[in-house]
Short mmCIF file of all heavy atoms in Angstrom, two decimals:
data_model
loop_
_atom_site.label_atom_id
_atom_site.label_comp_id
_atom_site.label_asym_id
_atom_site.label_seq_id
_atom_site.Cartn_x
_atom_site.Cartn_y
_atom_site.Cartn_z
N MET A 1 22.11 83.51 11.68
CA MET A 1 23.10 84.54 11.70
C MET A 1 23.04 85.37 10.41
O MET A 1 22.79 84.85 9.35
CB MET A 1 24.48 83.95 11.85
CG MET A 1 25.54 85.01 12.25
SD MET A 1 27.18 84.29 12.25
CE MET A 1 27.05 83.23 13.76
N SER A 2 23.33 86.67 10.50
CA SER A 2 23.31 87.49 9.36
C SER A 2 24.45 87.09 8.34
O SER A 2 25.48 86.55 8.79
CB SER A 2 23.43 88.98 9.69
OG SER A 2 24.74 89.44 9.53
N LYS A 3 24.25 87.37 7.14
CA LYS A 3 25.22 86.84 6.14
C LYS A 3 26.55 87.58 6.22
O LYS A 3 27.55 87.03 5.85
CB LYS A 3 24.56 86.88 4.74
CG LYS A 3 25.01 88.02 3.84
CD LYS A 3 24.33 87.81 2.54
CE LYS A 3 23.86 89.11 1.85
NZ LYS A 3 24.82 90.16 1.66
N ASP A 4 26.51 88.79 6.68
CA ASP A 4 27.74 89.51 6.85
C ASP A 4 27.82 90.09 8.28
O ASP A 4 27.11 90.97 8.59
CB ASP A 4 27.89 90.61 5.81
CG ASP A 4 29.26 91.20 5.76
OD1 ASP A 4 29.96 91.20 6.82
OD2 ASP A 4 29.66 91.69 4.73
N LEU A 5 28.76 89.55 9.01
CA LEU A 5 28.94 89.91 10.44
C LEU A 5 29.20 91.43 10.61
O LEU A 5 28.79 92.02 11.58
CB LEU A 5 30.17 89.15 10.96
CG LEU A 5 30.14 88.58 12.32
CD1 LEU A 5 28.87 87.69 12.50
CD2 LEU A 5 31.34 87.75 12.60
N PHE A 6 29.85 92.02 9.66
CA PHE A 6 30.28 93.40 9.83
C PHE A 6 29.43 94.43 9.07
O PHE A 6 29.69 95.58 9.16
CB PHE A 6 31.78 93.57 9.34
CG PHE A 6 32.67 92.73 10.23
CD1 PHE A 6 33.13 91.50 9.84
CD2 PHE A 6 33.08 93.19 11.49
CE1 PHE A 6 33.99 90.72 10.67
CE2 PHE A 6 33.95 92.48 12.24
CZ PHE A 6 34.39 91.21 11.85
N GLU A 7 28.43 94.01 8.40
CA GLU A 7 27.57 94.90 7.73
C GLU A 7 26.91 95.81 8.72
O GLU A 7 26.47 95.38 9.77
CB GLU A 7 26.52 94.09 6.94
CG GLU A 7 25.97 94.85 5.69
CD GLU A 7 27.03 95.05 4.66
OE1 GLU A 7 27.68 94.06 4.21
OE2 GLU A 7 27.23 96.23 4.25
N GLY A 8 26.86 97.11 8.41
CA GLY A 8 26.21 98.02 9.38
C GLY A 8 27.22 98.58 10.42
O GLY A 8 26.87 99.44 11.14
N GLN A 9 28.39 97.98 10.42
CA GLN A 9 29.44 98.48 11.36
C GLN A 9 30.16 99.70 10.70
O GLN A 9 30.15 99.91 9.52
CB GLN A 9 30.47 97.39 11.60
CG GLN A 9 29.89 96.13 12.20
CD GLN A 9 29.62 96.30 13.71
OE1 GLN A 9 30.43 96.89 14.41
NE2 GLN A 9 28.44 95.80 14.11
N SER A 10 30.84 100.43 11.56
CA SER A 10 31.66 101.57 11.07
C SER A 10 33.07 101.36 11.53
O SER A 10 33.28 100.81 12.58
CB SER A 10 31.07 102.89 11.61
OG SER A 10 29.83 103.17 10.98
N ILE A 11 33.97 101.87 10.70
CA ILE A 11 35.35 101.84 11.20
C ILE A 11 35.95 103.23 10.96
O ILE A 11 35.48 104.02 10.22
CB ILE A 11 36.21 100.82 10.40
CG1 ILE A 11 36.08 101.00 8.92
CG2 ILE A 11 35.76 99.40 10.76
CD1 ILE A 11 37.04 100.11 8.13
N GLU A 12 37.06 103.44 11.67
CA GLU A 12 37.77 104.74 11.57
C GLU A 12 38.96 104.57 10.56
O GLU A 12 39.76 103.66 10.80
CB GLU A 12 38.25 105.19 12.96
CG GLU A 12 37.20 105.77 13.81
CD GLU A 12 37.77 106.40 15.06
OE1 GLU A 12 38.89 105.98 15.49
OE2 GLU A 12 37.13 107.32 15.65
N ILE A 13 39.00 105.48 9.66
CA ILE A 13 40.10 105.46 8.70
C ILE A 13 40.90 106.76 8.87
O ILE A 13 40.37 107.81 8.62
CB ILE A 13 39.59 105.33 7.28
CG1 ILE A 13 38.69 104.13 7.18
CG2 ILE A 13 40.72 105.24 6.30
CD1 ILE A 13 37.95 104.01 5.85
N PRO A 14 42.23 106.63 9.20
CA PRO A 14 43.02 107.82 9.26
C PRO A 14 43.36 108.37 7.89
O PRO A 14 43.62 107.63 6.97
CB PRO A 14 44.27 107.38 10.02
CG PRO A 14 44.32 105.86 9.89
CD PRO A 14 42.90 105.39 9.50
N CYS A 15 43.37 109.69 7.78
CA CYS A 15 43.72 110.30 6.51
C CYS A 15 45.25 110.10 6.29
O CYS A 15 46.03 110.27 7.20
CB CYS A 15 43.42 111.83 6.62
SG CYS A 15 44.11 112.82 5.22
N PRO A 16 45.61 109.71 5.05
CA PRO A 16 47.02 109.48 4.80
C PRO A 16 47.85 110.70 4.87
O PRO A 16 49.06 110.68 4.99
CB PRO A 16 47.02 108.88 3.35
CG PRO A 16 45.65 109.21 2.78
CD PRO A 16 44.69 109.41 3.97
N ASP A 17 47.18 111.83 4.68
CA ASP A 17 47.93 113.17 4.71
C ASP A 17 48.03 113.76 6.09
O ASP A 17 49.14 114.03 6.59
CB ASP A 17 47.25 114.18 3.78
CG ASP A 17 47.74 114.03 2.35
OD1 ASP A 17 48.43 113.02 2.11
OD2 ASP A 17 47.54 114.97 1.57
N CYS A 18 46.89 113.94 6.80
CA CYS A 18 46.93 114.74 8.04
C CYS A 18 46.62 113.82 9.24
O CYS A 18 46.81 114.26 10.39
CB CYS A 18 45.98 115.88 7.96
SG CYS A 18 44.21 115.42 7.99
N GLY A 19 46.16 112.57 9.02
CA GLY A 19 45.90 111.73 10.09
C GLY A 19 44.59 111.85 10.75
O GLY A 19 44.20 111.08 11.72
N GLU A 20 43.78 112.78 10.27
CA GLU A 20 42.40 113.01 10.80
C GLU A 20 41.58 111.78 10.56
O GLU A 20 41.61 111.24 9.45
CB GLU A 20 41.75 114.22 10.06
CG GLU A 20 40.31 114.44 10.39
CD GLU A 20 40.17 115.23 11.69
OE1 GLU A 20 41.15 115.86 12.14
OE2 GLU A 20 39.02 115.26 12.19
N LYS A 21 40.91 111.27 11.58
CA LYS A 21 40.16 109.99 11.43
C LYS A 21 38.74 110.27 10.95
O LYS A 21 38.08 111.12 11.53
CB LYS A 21 40.15 109.26 12.81
CG LYS A 21 41.44 108.45 12.99
CD LYS A 21 41.42 107.72 14.24
CE LYS A 21 42.77 107.12 14.50
NZ LYS A 21 42.99 106.83 15.98
N ALA A 22 38.37 109.51 9.97
CA ALA A 22 36.98 109.65 9.45
C ALA A 22 36.27 108.35 9.74
O ALA A 22 36.84 107.27 9.58
CB ALA A 22 37.03 109.85 7.92
N THR A 23 35.05 108.46 10.27
CA THR A 23 34.27 107.26 10.50
C THR A 23 33.41 106.97 9.27
O THR A 23 32.65 107.76 8.83
CB THR A 23 33.34 107.47 11.73
OG1 THR A 23 34.17 107.85 12.79
CG2 THR A 23 32.62 106.21 12.11
N ARG A 24 33.63 105.80 8.78
CA ARG A 24 32.93 105.36 7.56
C ARG A 24 32.18 104.06 7.81
O ARG A 24 32.74 103.16 8.49
CB ARG A 24 33.89 105.16 6.36
CG ARG A 24 34.75 106.36 6.10
CD ARG A 24 33.99 107.51 5.45
NE ARG A 24 33.41 107.10 4.19
CZ ARG A 24 32.41 107.77 3.63
NH1 ARG A 24 31.87 108.75 4.24
NH2 ARG A 24 31.97 107.38 2.48
N SER A 25 30.99 103.96 7.28
CA SER A 25 30.24 102.70 7.43
C SER A 25 30.83 101.74 6.44
O SER A 25 31.28 102.08 5.33
CB SER A 25 28.75 102.88 7.22
OG SER A 25 28.51 103.10 5.85
N LEU A 26 30.78 100.40 6.75
CA LEU A 26 31.32 99.42 5.84
C LEU A 26 30.46 99.36 4.59
O LEU A 26 31.01 99.07 3.50
CB LEU A 26 31.29 98.09 6.53
CG LEU A 26 32.25 97.92 7.70
CD1 LEU A 26 32.29 96.57 8.24
CD2 LEU A 26 33.63 98.38 7.32
N ALA A 27 29.22 99.63 4.67
CA ALA A 27 28.38 99.68 3.45
C ALA A 27 28.89 100.71 2.45
O ALA A 27 28.97 100.44 1.32
CB ALA A 27 26.93 99.91 3.85
N SER A 28 29.25 101.89 2.94
CA SER A 28 29.72 102.91 2.07
C SER A 28 31.12 102.61 1.51
O SER A 28 31.41 102.93 0.35
CB SER A 28 29.71 104.26 2.79
OG SER A 28 30.78 104.35 3.64
N LEU A 29 31.91 101.89 2.30
CA LEU A 29 33.18 101.52 1.82
C LEU A 29 33.09 100.44 0.69
O LEU A 29 33.79 100.44 -0.25
CB LEU A 29 34.05 100.91 2.97
CG LEU A 29 34.52 101.96 3.97
CD1 LEU A 29 35.17 101.29 5.13
CD2 LEU A 29 35.52 102.92 3.31
N ARG A 30 32.15 99.55 0.92
CA ARG A 30 31.93 98.48 -0.06
C ARG A 30 31.54 99.02 -1.45
O ARG A 30 31.88 98.44 -2.43
CB ARG A 30 30.88 97.54 0.42
CG ARG A 30 31.07 96.11 0.00
CD ARG A 30 29.94 95.24 0.52
NE ARG A 30 30.17 94.63 1.79
CZ ARG A 30 31.01 93.62 2.02
NH1 ARG A 30 31.73 93.11 1.07
NH2 ARG A 30 31.13 93.18 3.26
N SER A 31 30.82 100.15 -1.37
CA SER A 31 30.51 100.69 -2.69
C SER A 31 31.50 101.74 -3.16
O SER A 31 31.26 102.54 -4.09
CB SER A 31 29.07 101.31 -2.62
OG SER A 31 29.00 102.28 -1.57
N ASP A 32 32.71 101.69 -2.52
CA ASP A 32 33.83 102.53 -2.98
C ASP A 32 33.55 104.00 -3.04
O ASP A 32 34.01 104.75 -3.87
CB ASP A 32 34.16 102.13 -4.38
CG ASP A 32 35.33 101.10 -4.44
OD1 ASP A 32 35.93 100.88 -3.31
OD2 ASP A 32 35.66 100.56 -5.50
N THR A 33 32.87 104.54 -1.99
CA THR A 33 32.51 105.91 -1.94
C THR A 33 33.69 106.75 -1.49
O THR A 33 34.33 106.53 -0.55
CB THR A 33 31.36 106.18 -0.97
OG1 THR A 33 30.40 105.20 -1.16
CG2 THR A 33 30.79 107.53 -1.15
N GLU A 34 33.95 107.81 -2.31
CA GLU A 34 34.98 108.76 -1.93
C GLU A 34 34.41 109.71 -0.92
O GLU A 34 33.21 109.92 -0.83
CB GLU A 34 35.39 109.56 -3.14
CG GLU A 34 36.12 108.74 -4.22
CD GLU A 34 36.50 109.60 -5.42
OE1 GLU A 34 36.10 110.81 -5.47
OE2 GLU A 34 37.28 109.10 -6.22
N TYR A 35 35.28 110.32 -0.09
CA TYR A 35 34.86 111.36 0.82
C TYR A 35 35.96 112.33 1.00
O TYR A 35 37.09 112.09 0.71
CB TYR A 35 34.45 110.70 2.17
CG TYR A 35 35.61 109.94 2.87
CD1 TYR A 35 36.31 110.61 3.84
CD2 TYR A 35 35.93 108.63 2.54
CE1 TYR A 35 37.38 110.01 4.52
CE2 TYR A 35 36.95 108.01 3.21
CZ TYR A 35 37.71 108.68 4.19
OH TYR A 35 38.76 108.03 4.83
N ASP A 36 35.54 113.50 1.55
CA ASP A 36 36.54 114.57 1.78
C ASP A 36 36.98 114.44 3.23
O ASP A 36 36.13 114.39 4.14
CB ASP A 36 35.92 115.92 1.51
CG ASP A 36 35.64 116.08 0.00
OD1 ASP A 36 36.30 115.43 -0.81
OD2 ASP A 36 34.71 116.83 -0.35
N CYS A 37 38.26 114.57 3.46
CA CYS A 37 38.79 114.57 4.83
C CYS A 37 38.38 115.85 5.52
O CYS A 37 38.36 116.92 4.95
CB CYS A 37 40.36 114.54 4.72
SG CYS A 37 41.10 114.72 6.37
N SER A 38 37.91 115.66 6.75
CA SER A 38 37.42 116.81 7.50
C SER A 38 38.55 117.69 8.02
O SER A 38 38.43 118.75 8.48
CB SER A 38 36.48 116.39 8.62
OG SER A 38 37.20 115.52 9.54
N GLY A 39 39.75 117.08 7.99
CA GLY A 39 40.95 117.79 8.50
C GLY A 39 41.56 118.68 7.43
O GLY A 39 41.77 119.85 7.62
N CYS A 40 41.91 118.10 6.25
CA CYS A 40 42.61 118.81 5.23
C CYS A 40 41.84 118.98 3.95
O CYS A 40 42.28 119.67 3.02
CB CYS A 40 43.95 118.13 4.97
SG CYS A 40 43.75 116.47 4.28
N GLY A 41 40.64 118.37 3.89
CA GLY A 41 39.82 118.59 2.66
C GLY A 41 40.16 117.71 1.51
O GLY A 41 39.50 117.81 0.51
N LYS A 42 41.23 116.89 1.69
CA LYS A 42 41.64 116.00 0.60
C LYS A 42 40.57 114.92 0.31
O LYS A 42 39.96 114.45 1.21
CB LYS A 42 42.96 115.37 1.00
CG LYS A 42 43.58 114.52 -0.10
CD LYS A 42 44.79 113.76 0.60
CE LYS A 42 45.24 112.58 -0.25
NZ LYS A 42 46.09 113.01 -1.35
N THR A 43 40.39 114.67 -0.96
CA THR A 43 39.43 113.63 -1.33
C THR A 43 40.12 112.26 -1.17
O THR A 43 41.17 112.04 -1.69
CB THR A 43 38.96 113.75 -2.78
OG1 THR A 43 38.36 115.05 -2.93
CG2 THR A 43 37.99 112.62 -3.18
N ILE A 44 39.46 111.45 -0.36
CA ILE A 44 40.04 110.17 -0.04
C ILE A 44 39.27 109.02 -0.64
O ILE A 44 38.01 109.01 -0.52
CB ILE A 44 40.11 109.94 1.50
CG1 ILE A 44 41.04 111.04 2.11
CG2 ILE A 44 40.68 108.52 1.86
CD1 ILE A 44 41.06 111.09 3.59
N ARG A 45 39.91 108.11 -1.27
CA ARG A 45 39.23 106.93 -1.83
C ARG A 45 39.79 105.72 -1.06
O ARG A 45 40.94 105.27 -1.30
CB ARG A 45 39.55 106.85 -3.30
CG ARG A 45 38.61 105.91 -4.00
CD ARG A 45 38.70 106.17 -5.54
NE ARG A 45 37.61 105.58 -6.24
CZ ARG A 45 37.53 104.34 -6.58
NH1 ARG A 45 38.59 103.57 -6.36
NH2 ARG A 45 36.51 103.82 -7.24
N PRO A 46 39.05 105.24 -0.08
CA PRO A 46 39.58 104.19 0.69
C PRO A 46 39.88 102.94 -0.11
O PRO A 46 39.17 102.64 -1.05
CB PRO A 46 38.41 103.88 1.72
CG PRO A 46 37.49 105.02 1.56
CD PRO A 46 37.66 105.61 0.17
N ASP A 47 40.96 102.22 0.23
CA ASP A 47 41.35 101.03 -0.45
C ASP A 47 40.42 99.85 0.06
O ASP A 47 40.81 99.10 0.96
CB ASP A 47 42.80 100.72 -0.21
CG ASP A 47 43.30 99.60 -1.07
OD1 ASP A 47 42.53 98.90 -1.69
OD2 ASP A 47 44.53 99.40 -1.10
N ALA A 48 39.24 99.80 -0.53
CA ALA A 48 38.23 98.87 -0.01
C ALA A 48 38.76 97.44 -0.05
O ALA A 48 38.50 96.60 0.83
CB ALA A 48 36.99 98.97 -0.85
N LYS A 49 39.47 97.09 -1.11
CA LYS A 49 40.01 95.72 -1.27
C LYS A 49 40.85 95.34 -0.06
O LYS A 49 40.74 94.24 0.48
CB LYS A 49 40.83 95.62 -2.54
CG LYS A 49 40.17 94.70 -3.58
CD LYS A 49 41.08 94.49 -4.80
CE LYS A 49 40.24 94.42 -6.05
NZ LYS A 49 40.92 94.77 -7.22
N LYS A 50 41.74 96.21 0.23
CA LYS A 50 42.69 95.97 1.38
C LYS A 50 41.93 95.91 2.67
O LYS A 50 42.15 95.01 3.48
CB LYS A 50 43.68 97.13 1.42
CG LYS A 50 44.95 96.80 2.16
CD LYS A 50 46.00 97.83 1.92
CE LYS A 50 46.70 98.29 3.10
NZ LYS A 50 47.39 99.53 2.96
N LEU A 51 40.96 96.86 2.87
CA LEU A 51 40.17 96.83 4.10
C LEU A 51 39.36 95.56 4.20
O LEU A 51 39.31 94.96 5.30
CB LEU A 51 39.22 98.03 4.04
CG LEU A 51 39.86 99.40 4.33
CD1 LEU A 51 38.87 100.50 3.96
CD2 LEU A 51 40.26 99.48 5.78
N PHE A 52 38.74 95.14 3.17
CA PHE A 52 37.85 94.01 3.27
C PHE A 52 38.65 92.69 3.34
O PHE A 52 38.15 91.72 3.83
CB PHE A 52 36.83 94.01 2.13
CG PHE A 52 35.74 94.94 2.35
CD1 PHE A 52 35.65 96.11 1.62
CD2 PHE A 52 34.83 94.72 3.36
CE1 PHE A 52 34.61 97.03 1.86
CE2 PHE A 52 33.87 95.61 3.64
CZ PHE A 52 33.73 96.77 2.87
N LYS A 53 39.87 92.70 2.81
CA LYS A 53 40.73 91.56 3.03
C LYS A 53 40.90 91.30 4.49
O LYS A 53 40.78 90.17 4.97
CB LYS A 53 42.08 91.80 2.30
CG LYS A 53 43.14 90.72 2.58
CD LYS A 53 42.90 89.49 1.74
CE LYS A 53 44.06 88.47 1.96
NZ LYS A 53 43.97 87.84 3.24
N GLY A 54 41.21 92.30 5.24
CA GLY A 54 41.43 92.16 6.64
C GLY A 54 40.13 91.74 7.35
O GLY A 54 40.12 90.95 8.24
N LEU A 55 38.99 92.30 6.91
CA LEU A 55 37.72 91.96 7.50
C LEU A 55 37.34 90.52 7.18
O LEU A 55 36.79 89.84 8.05
CB LEU A 55 36.64 92.91 6.97
CG LEU A 55 36.60 94.31 7.55
CD1 LEU A 55 35.53 95.15 6.91
CD2 LEU A 55 36.39 94.22 9.05
N ASP A 56 37.69 90.05 5.98
CA ASP A 56 37.34 88.66 5.67
C ASP A 56 38.10 87.75 6.54
O ASP A 56 37.55 86.71 6.99
CB ASP A 56 37.63 88.39 4.14
CG ASP A 56 36.61 89.04 3.24
OD1 ASP A 56 35.56 89.45 3.77
OD2 ASP A 56 36.88 89.15 2.04
N ASP A 57 39.35 88.05 6.81
CA ASP A 57 40.17 87.23 7.70
C ASP A 57 39.53 87.21 9.06
O ASP A 57 39.41 86.14 9.68
CB ASP A 57 41.56 87.81 7.82
CG ASP A 57 42.36 87.59 6.51
OD1 ASP A 57 41.84 86.89 5.61
OD2 ASP A 57 43.45 88.16 6.41
N ALA A 58 39.11 88.38 9.56
CA ALA A 58 38.54 88.47 10.88
C ALA A 58 37.21 87.67 10.93
O ALA A 58 36.90 87.01 11.90
CB ALA A 58 38.28 89.94 11.24
N GLN A 59 36.45 87.78 9.87
CA GLN A 59 35.19 87.05 9.76
C GLN A 59 35.36 85.55 9.81
O GLN A 59 34.70 84.81 10.45
CB GLN A 59 34.43 87.45 8.57
CG GLN A 59 33.45 88.51 8.81
CD GLN A 59 32.46 88.63 7.64
OE1 GLN A 59 31.24 88.57 7.83
NE2 GLN A 59 32.90 88.84 6.43
N ALA A 60 36.43 85.08 9.05
CA ALA A 60 36.73 83.70 8.98
C ALA A 60 37.09 83.15 10.40
O ALA A 60 36.66 82.10 10.82
CB ALA A 60 37.88 83.45 8.02
N LYS A 61 37.88 83.95 11.13
CA LYS A 61 38.25 83.58 12.50
C LYS A 61 37.04 83.53 13.39
O LYS A 61 36.92 82.58 14.14
CB LYS A 61 39.26 84.61 13.02
CG LYS A 61 40.73 84.29 12.65
CD LYS A 61 41.66 85.11 13.37
CE LYS A 61 43.04 85.09 12.72
NZ LYS A 61 43.56 86.44 12.39
N ALA A 62 36.23 84.52 13.26
CA ALA A 62 35.01 84.53 14.12
C ALA A 62 34.10 83.35 13.78
O ALA A 62 33.53 82.73 14.72
CB ALA A 62 34.17 85.85 13.86
N ARG A 63 33.99 83.02 12.53
CA ARG A 63 33.11 81.86 12.15
C ARG A 63 33.69 80.57 12.75
O ARG A 63 32.96 79.72 13.21
CB ARG A 63 33.10 81.73 10.66
CG ARG A 63 32.17 82.77 9.98
CD ARG A 63 31.40 82.17 8.82
NE ARG A 63 30.50 83.22 8.26
CZ ARG A 63 30.93 84.03 7.30
NH1 ARG A 63 32.13 83.97 6.80
NH2 ARG A 63 30.09 84.93 6.81
N LYS A 64 35.00 80.43 12.66
CA LYS A 64 35.64 79.29 13.20
C LYS A 64 35.44 79.14 14.70
O LYS A 64 35.14 78.07 15.17
CB LYS A 64 37.14 79.31 12.88
CG LYS A 64 37.80 77.97 13.16
CD LYS A 64 39.30 77.96 12.84
CE LYS A 64 39.96 76.65 13.20
NZ LYS A 64 39.63 76.20 14.54
N MET A 65 35.53 80.27 15.38
CA MET A 65 35.34 80.31 16.84
C MET A 65 33.90 79.84 17.12
O MET A 65 33.69 79.06 18.05
CB MET A 65 35.53 81.79 17.34
CG MET A 65 36.62 81.89 18.31
SD MET A 65 37.01 83.63 18.58
CE MET A 65 35.42 84.22 19.26
N VAL A 66 32.90 80.38 16.42
CA VAL A 66 31.51 79.97 16.62
C VAL A 66 31.33 78.51 16.36
O VAL A 66 30.70 77.80 17.12
CB VAL A 66 30.55 80.82 15.75
CG1 VAL A 66 29.20 80.31 15.79
CG2 VAL A 66 30.63 82.24 16.18
N ALA A 67 31.95 78.02 15.30
CA ALA A 67 31.88 76.61 14.93
C ALA A 67 32.46 75.72 16.06
O ALA A 67 31.85 74.76 16.47
CB ALA A 67 32.60 76.32 13.59
N ASP A 68 33.63 76.10 16.53
CA ASP A 68 34.28 75.36 17.61
C ASP A 68 33.38 75.36 18.87
O ASP A 68 33.22 74.38 19.51
CB ASP A 68 35.64 76.00 17.89
CG ASP A 68 36.65 75.64 16.86
OD1 ASP A 68 36.31 74.87 15.92
OD2 ASP A 68 37.76 76.28 16.86
N LEU A 69 32.80 76.53 19.14
CA LEU A 69 31.95 76.62 20.35
C LEU A 69 30.76 75.77 20.22
O LEU A 69 30.38 75.05 21.16
CB LEU A 69 31.48 78.14 20.45
CG LEU A 69 32.19 78.97 21.51
CD1 LEU A 69 31.56 80.39 21.49
CD2 LEU A 69 31.99 78.33 22.92
N SER A 70 30.09 75.74 19.09
CA SER A 70 28.90 75.01 18.94
C SER A 70 29.21 73.47 19.01
O SER A 70 28.31 72.73 19.40
CB SER A 70 28.16 75.32 17.62
OG SER A 70 28.96 75.14 16.57
N LYS A 71 30.44 73.11 18.60
CA LYS A 71 30.78 71.72 18.76
C LYS A 71 30.81 71.31 20.22
O LYS A 71 30.41 70.19 20.58
CB LYS A 71 32.23 71.47 18.20
CG LYS A 71 32.22 71.02 16.73
CD LYS A 71 33.63 70.79 16.26
CE LYS A 71 33.76 71.15 14.75
NZ LYS A 71 35.10 71.53 14.40
N LYS A 72 31.25 72.18 21.09
CA LYS A 72 31.35 71.87 22.49
C LYS A 72 30.00 71.58 23.15
O LYS A 72 29.93 70.87 24.11
CB LYS A 72 32.02 73.07 23.22
CG LYS A 72 33.51 73.09 23.08
CD LYS A 72 34.12 74.15 23.94
CE LYS A 72 35.65 74.27 23.61
NZ LYS A 72 36.17 75.56 23.96
N PHE A 73 28.97 72.19 22.59
CA PHE A 73 27.68 72.05 23.20
C PHE A 73 26.80 70.96 22.53
O PHE A 73 25.67 70.87 22.84
CB PHE A 73 26.90 73.38 23.21
CG PHE A 73 27.61 74.40 24.13
CD1 PHE A 73 28.34 75.45 23.53
CD2 PHE A 73 27.52 74.29 25.45
CE1 PHE A 73 28.95 76.39 24.43
CE2 PHE A 73 28.12 75.24 26.31
CZ PHE A 73 28.83 76.27 25.77
N ARG A 74 27.46 70.27 21.67
CA ARG A 74 26.69 69.23 20.99
C ARG A 74 26.50 68.03 21.85
O ARG A 74 27.35 67.68 22.68
CB ARG A 74 27.46 68.77 19.69
CG ARG A 74 26.49 68.53 18.57
CD ARG A 74 27.24 68.45 17.27
NE ARG A 74 27.02 69.68 16.44
CZ ARG A 74 27.82 70.01 15.44
NH1 ARG A 74 28.82 69.23 15.10
NH2 ARG A 74 27.64 71.06 14.73
ZN1 ZN B 101 43.38 114.91 5.88
#
């Protein structure tokens, strides 16, 4: 299995000002890349720490699921 389940995935981040959704790859978020909102032009710096906290939780759950599954087939 790849070391990061979500690497190469993209997520939609709504602009805090106008709500316009921007699609960002997780790789670009991990490197803390700023981007300009396509709706209002505001420079947005995604809160990567917060985003990845949620992703880590999701990944932990997914790993546990896979572990439980593989136990069943042993
Ligand atoms: Zn905006």
Side-chain angles (χ1 to χ4, degrees):
M1 194 186 288
S2 101
K3 101 178 144 53
D4 192 331
L5 221 54
F6 295 98
E7 206 65 54
Q9 301 282 318
S10 292
I11 54 173
E12 282 189 335
I13 304 171
C15 171
D17 272 15
C18 69
E20 175 82 16
K21 280 181 184 155
T23 304
R24 305 290 297 161
S25 73
L26 293 184
S28 75
L29 288 172
R30 212 181 270 287
S31 53
D32 263 353
T33 316
E34 293 180 351
Y35 63 95
D36 294 331
C37 174
S38 59
C40 63
K42 185 187 163 82
T43 300
I44 297 172
R45 195 163 196 278
D47 190 346
K49 244 184 217 158
K50 201 166 134 195
L51 285 167
F52 283 109
K53 171 81 176 72
L55 283 178
D56 286 346
D57 290 351
Q59 264 195 125
K61 274 191 196 124
R63 285 219 180 88
K64 190 179 178 310
M65 243 168 61
V66 171
D68 288 350
L69 255 180
S70 57
K71 264 181 215 156
K72 279 186 190 158
F73 292 106
R74 218 166 258 163

